[in-house]
Amino acid sequence: MRILIIEDDRDAAAYLTKAFKEAGHVVDVAHDGVTGYDMALEGGYEVAIVDRMLPKMDGLTLIGALRGQKNETPILILSALGQVDDRVKGLRAGGDDYLAKPYAFSELLARVETLARRRPAGAPEETVYRVGDLTLDRLSHKVTRRGEEIVLQPREFRLLEYLMQNAGKVVTRTMLLEHVWDYHFDPQTNVIDVHVSRLRAKIDRDFDAPLLTTVRGAGYMIRDGAR
Amino acid sequence: MTALAKLFRATAFRLALAILAVSSVGAGVVLAIIAWQVVAVVDEEIARTIDAEAKGLTDAFNHDGLVGLYSSIEARKRQPGASLYLLTDPAGESLAGNVEQIPLEVLERQGFIVVNYRTNGPGDRVRQALVRIYKLPPGFLLLVGHDLGDRARIEGVMVRALAVSLVFFAALAALGALFVARNVLKRIDDINTSAQGVMAGDLTGRLPVSGSGDELDRLAESLNAMLKRIGVLMQGLREVSDNIAHDLRTPLTRLRNHAEAALAYGDDPAAYRAALEKTIEESDALIKIFNALLLIARAEAGGGIDGQTAFDLAEAARAVADLYEPIAEEEGVDLAVDIDAPLTVRGNRELIGQTIANLVDNALKYGAMSGRHPGDPKPSIVVSARRVGDAVELVVADRGPGVPPEDRKRVLDRFVRLEGSRSRPGSGLGLSLAAAVARMHGGRVELADNAPGLRVRVILPAEHAPPALPAPVSGSVHEPVAG
Ligand SMILES: Nc1ncnc2c1ncn2[C@@H]1O[C@H](COP(=O)(O)OP(=O)(O)OP(=O)(O)O)[C@@H](O)[C@H]1O
Ligand SMILES: [Mg+2]
């Protein structure tokens, strides 16, 4: 995946470059807003990571300008202070996701990888998700595994839906909290864990091939032939 | 300072000029009115004198004829301070009197008139007089008049009075300016100097109070009271930051210990990794503390919040309850939500959600740990909300040990954890954050007895407009998209 990092802090940029490369991605870096804007316009990036405070052109202006040019590169905003207003402003300016510094790299990686998946725009939405022998029908809200129906609570259904939508990708606890409960605050870690283990009990317990796995220090992933 | 002194002097000078201008115009007007009145009185007096003299002379004419009139005039004109007399025959020839020259046309006129004339005695010059012409049969004209020298003298007196008073007023103005410069401006200058001392950082400094109780004193007293209040606030702030520094020392020390442990375990990769994980965990906890502190500080600074929308509090509370429900179940606690109908409030759903989460977390942590009460089948937590007049009241109630009345205010402060709670994880910021969020929204948090247990009420102003389409604060961007 080609990632553009627009970050003026050279240490942070170097660290991110190294970490993303280790995760198997191709990274370009811009150290100021204007260069970053030009590079993003040239296109070809699947995701851009934009720091809010940038020399020459600040992050929000840059995003607004890109969107004004009909450039739809998914953008993740990084901000120094994790304040609520900031996130709202960032998303309003046209950002697709938001992460406050300091963050865990695993969190950033997971978010960037799911962001890239949002494309291509305009593709018809799938109505049935399939992972191995597990299927989820988004219209009838029916979940079956190996043909057997599994009864889920509405919240469990949305949890599974989000995991399956991002099948094969790591989904962090905060991402789950955001998409299933629509909250962005830092949860007590085990709050989400209990929900996931309940879901796991329903979809995995009676089957020999587990699909839902815990990714240590990062989050969860659903995929065929896990473990 | 010299520039300031110059300004003061300029102020005093302008003040002196103003006093002078106002008082001289005033004096001029008063003196002019008096002069005008006095002249009128004098003129009236002269006219009466003229009439009386004319009567005496016509009497003499009626009794003794022209001869009597003539001798009367001759006798009168020799007296000191004499009036003016002129008698002419029908041909207009002067027969008697003491007037040398007088414009002829005057003799044709009626009533009192002011004329210029010359006396036929020594000191021959043009003078002014008030005269009147009387006709005597068969064609004689008798002019009787009086010199207006008195009137001129009065006018002179008035002009001199004006001049003298101008000098007097100028002196007064100078004195006034001096007084102002000495007292008022000097005191303002002193206040200014003291204020600059305060600005330079000496918050204990106070403005001088003269003790006269005048406006300047009252101003200085108000400012001093303000300085005192600022001092108290600063003191409070210092205490808070001292406390924060103190309370952050514990987690920072723990962080350091983990890092040190990691170094010590150098050759055992698993232990090394575990120690590093602990280090990261500890720093995440610290970041959380900082974020909470920042938010609380912002609420205390009194600023409102951006990102306010109308949202359904019932939905927000249900989402939190739903989030905690499995944990509650694991701990054997009944977590019930008792909210009906949408309850629209205006605010930040994110912050209010976090507040509810903090309260539910507390209820689970402290309210459930003491186990069952007689008569209670199960520890239970109830999250409820309803509209009370203009407010929306959200309540999180548990049936645990509760908080003693004397501690109910204190636990809302930063870092306060009660005796007996310290064994549980936490940093003592949950309730402070809840209180801060409520305050940011123009509401408050109150703790009460749930007999048994704790009952936390979060009171928020209700949205007044009828609930339109309650929209969540954010999340629209994260709408699931098929991929
Ligand atoms: N429901 C409750 N029942 C009994 N005591 C409580 C309850 N809620 C709070 N307290 C007391 O008030 C103190 C302050 O609570 P607060 O939520 O501010 O901090 P904390 O829970 O200790 O830590 P944190 O919320 O930051 O993790 C607690 O330590 C506890 O002593
Ligand atoms: Mg708490």
Side-chain angles (χ1 to χ4, degrees), chain A residues 81 84-85 89 96-97 102 118 125-126 155 165 177-179 181-186 191 194-195 198 216, chain B residues 277 287-288 298 306 316 319-320 322-323 325-326 329 349-350 353-354 472 474 477-478 480-483:
Chain A
L81 284 180
V84 208
D85 312 356
K89 275 185 213 139
D96 298 276
D97 200 356
R118 293 162 60 93
E125 287 192 18
E126 282 176 44
R155 212 60 86 157
Q165 184 195 330
L177 186 70
E178 283 177 19
H179 288 90
W181 285 272
D182 197 14
Y183 277 127
H184 306 273
F185 55 78
D186 210 350
V191 179
V194 183
H195 282 276
R198 277 187 166 194
R216 245 177 81 87
Chain B
E277 270 168 9
I287 289 164
K288 235 162 131 172
R298 217 148 52 115
D306 297 349
V320 173
D322 179 279
L323 186 62
E325 195 272 328
E329 198 183 297
R349 179 178 176 277
E350 206 51 53
Q354 167 128 47
S474 52
V477 189
H478 299 287
V481 172

Side-chain angles (χ1 to χ4, degrees), chain B residues 362 365-366 398 403 411 416-418 421 426-431 454:
Chain B
N362 279 355
K365 244 190 328 194
Y366 312 110
D398 62 59
V403 170
V411 286
V416 175
R417 309 195 71 204
L418 297 181
S421 320
S427 45
L429 288 174
L431 285 177
L454 185 68

Side-chain angles (χ1 to χ4, degrees), chain B residues 291-293 295-296 351 354-355 358 412 429-438:
Chain B
N291 279 337
L293 283 176
L295 199 66
I296 296 168
L351 293 174
Q354 167 128 47
T355 297
N358 286 355
L412 296 181
L429 288 174
L431 285 177
S432 336
L433 197 91
V437 168

Side-chain angles (χ1 to χ4, degrees), chain B residues 12-263:
Chain B
F13 180 69
R14 273 205 306 276
L15 190 75
L17 273 187
I19 294 177
L20 188 61
V22 168
S23 48
S24 6
V25 168
V29 167
V30 167
L31 284 174
I33 290 172
I34 292 176
W36 182 60
Q37 295 282 332
V38 169
V39 163
V41 169
V42 168
D43 283 0
E44 208 173 288
E45 193 59 39
I46 290 174
R48 246 202 309 278
T49 312
I50 290 171
D51 273 344
E53 291 229 36
K55 189 170 183 303
L57 290 174
T58 35
D59 280 355
F61 177 72
N62 291 340
H63 267 260
D64 306 318
L66 207 52
V67 181
L69 178 58
Y70 182 83
S71 58
S72 276
I73 290 173
E74 283 302 309
R76 285 188 187 196
K77 80 175 192 193
R78 271 179 251 285
Q79 282 169 12
S83 296
L84 304 175
Y85 309 99
L86 179 66
L87 181 64
T88 58
D89 64 11
E93 279 303 308
S94 168
L95 297 178
N98 50 1
V99 179
E100 177 90 327
Q101 256 179 18
I102 197 144
L104 272 178
E105 71 276 5
V106 165
L107 300 177
E108 308 296 317
R109 309 231 318 244
Q110 304 263 310
F112 290 102
I113 35 182
V114 176
V115 294
N116 292 327
Y117 75 99
R118 270 178 201 282
T119 48
N120 51 1
D124 171 44
R125 59 197 173 96
V126 178
R127 296 178 64 97
Q128 264 201 331
L130 190 69
V131 302
R132 189 169 181 181
I133 315 296
Y134 300 87
K135 290 195 167 64
L136 300 176
F140 298 99
L141 290 179
L142 169 64
L143 176 148
V144 181
H146 207 86
D147 190 78
L148 285 177
D150 284 351
R151 189 161 102 170
R153 260 200 307 286
I154 288 167
E155 279 164 1
V157 166
M158 289 303 168
V159 169
R160 269 199 305 282
L162 189 62
V164 169
S165 58
L166 278 187
V167 171
F168 174 74
F169 285 135
L172 198 69
L175 273 178
L178 198 68
F179 174 82
V180 166
R182 266 283 160 75
N183 290 278
V184 181
L185 296 180
K186 165 86 165 52
R187 280 172 62 199
I188 291 179
D189 193 12
D190 289 349
I191 289 177
N192 215 354
T193 312
S194 314
Q196 269 158 2
V198 173
M199 277 189 278
D202 173 24
L203 268 182
T204 58
R206 291 293 178 265
L207 307 182
V209 176
S210 74
S212 65
D214 60 4
E215 289 81 356
L216 273 181
D217 267 12
R218 285 208 300 275
L219 177 68
E221 274 160 12
S222 295
L223 290 176
N224 282 342
M226 190 173 89
L227 282 174
K228 192 171 159 198
R229 177 97 188 96
I230 291 174
V232 170
L233 286 176
M234 288 292 289
Q235 176 71 21
L237 203 62
R238 208 165 296 141
E239 272 163 24
V240 166
S241 32
D242 284 355
N243 285 349
I244 290 176
H246 179 86
D247 283 295
L248 285 181
R249 214 155 46 197
T250 320
L252 277 173
T253 310
R254 271 205 305 265
L255 181 68
R256 192 177 190 286
N257 291 345
H258 290 308
E260 231 165 29
L263 277 183

